[in-house]
Amino acid sequence: MSTGAVVETLAHTPPPRTSGRWRRSLPSFARLLLSAVWWWAGWTKLRDPEGSVQAVRAFRVLPEVWVETVAYGVPALEIGLALLLLFGVGGRLGAVVSAVVLAVFVAALVQAWARGLSVDCGCFGGGGEVDATETRYGQEIARDLGLLAVSLWLCFRRSAPSAASLTAPPPTVEPPA
């Protein structure tokens, strides 16, 4: 092949489509991120159920008869949500539930801050009433708003493959004969 033929071939060869592949992978990465966060949040609460009860009680929004039920139910919800997002079961359902739960968590943090409560959110275990100097409402609300934005983005995106598909081998394509 002559140099001229090589140059002409290169001139007519389209660039690799890596940006399209990256864009198609973003929803899966978003699901994986949310899945990991929900898994970690649920797992740490399951390992410390009393801390979870203290955290829910510290927000002072539920009647006492509901505190333990909610405190024991939230970790199960979070782990179920992690699995739903990881495997992509139910289409947008995982993203919608994630957005709703995060909106509730943000509202709980904002009301506690506005009422002057000194609460460690217990988002990743522990939690409960703390000294006023130990609160991190701004950071916790910012984190949850960021995760809420990711959830909402997934809600309004075209459907995406499950996050688990990131580890699956790519399909093989046979060259034409």
Side-chain angles (χ1 to χ4, degrees):
M1 183 180 265
S2 70
T3 307
V6 171
V7 169
E8 185 160 331
T9 302
L10 290 175
H12 294 293
T13 304
R17 300 206 30 130
T18 56
S19 63
R21 187 176 315 130
W22 174 247
R23 255 182 287 156
R24 284 190 306 274
S25 298
L26 275 178
S28 294
F29 284 118
R31 285 180 195 260
L32 187 60
L33 168 74
L34 290 170
S35 181
V37 169
W38 286 121
W39 180 267
W40 185 251
W43 178 249
T44 56
K45 288 181 189 104
L46 275 180
R47 295 183 62 212
D48 181 17
E50 264 317 297
S52 189
V53 170
Q54 289 174 1
V56 171
R57 184 175 287 126
F59 281 94
R60 300 182 198 166
V61 291
L62 294 173
E64 187 59 33
V65 295
W66 284 97
V67 168
E68 284 190 11
T69 303
V70 170
Y72 296 143
V74 167
L77 171 68
E78 291 172 333
I79 288 175
L81 190 50
L83 295 173
L84 192 66
L85 285 161
L86 180 64
F87 296 110
V89 179
R92 289 182 182 33
L93 179 62
V96 170
V97 174
S98 179
V100 169
V101 173
L102 284 162
V104 169
F105 287 175
V106 168
L109 288 165
V110 167
Q111 72 80 32
W113 196 3
R115 291 172 51 204
L117 301 178
S118 298
V119 176
D120 172 6
C121 73
C123 298
F124 297 96
E129 294 189 37
V130 295
D131 187 67
T133 61
E134 295 179 43
T135 60
R136 298 177 313 192
Y137 290 120
Q139 292 168 322
E140 292 165 347
I141 291 169
R143 177 201 58 223
D144 287 356
L145 286 175
L147 294 170
L148 176 58
V150 172
S151 297
L152 289 172
W153 180 74
L154 282 173
C155 288
F156 295 104
R157 281 278 300 165
R158 290 180 298 154
S159 58
S162 70
S165 69
L166 290 174
T167 59
T172 57
V173 177
E174 294 294 323

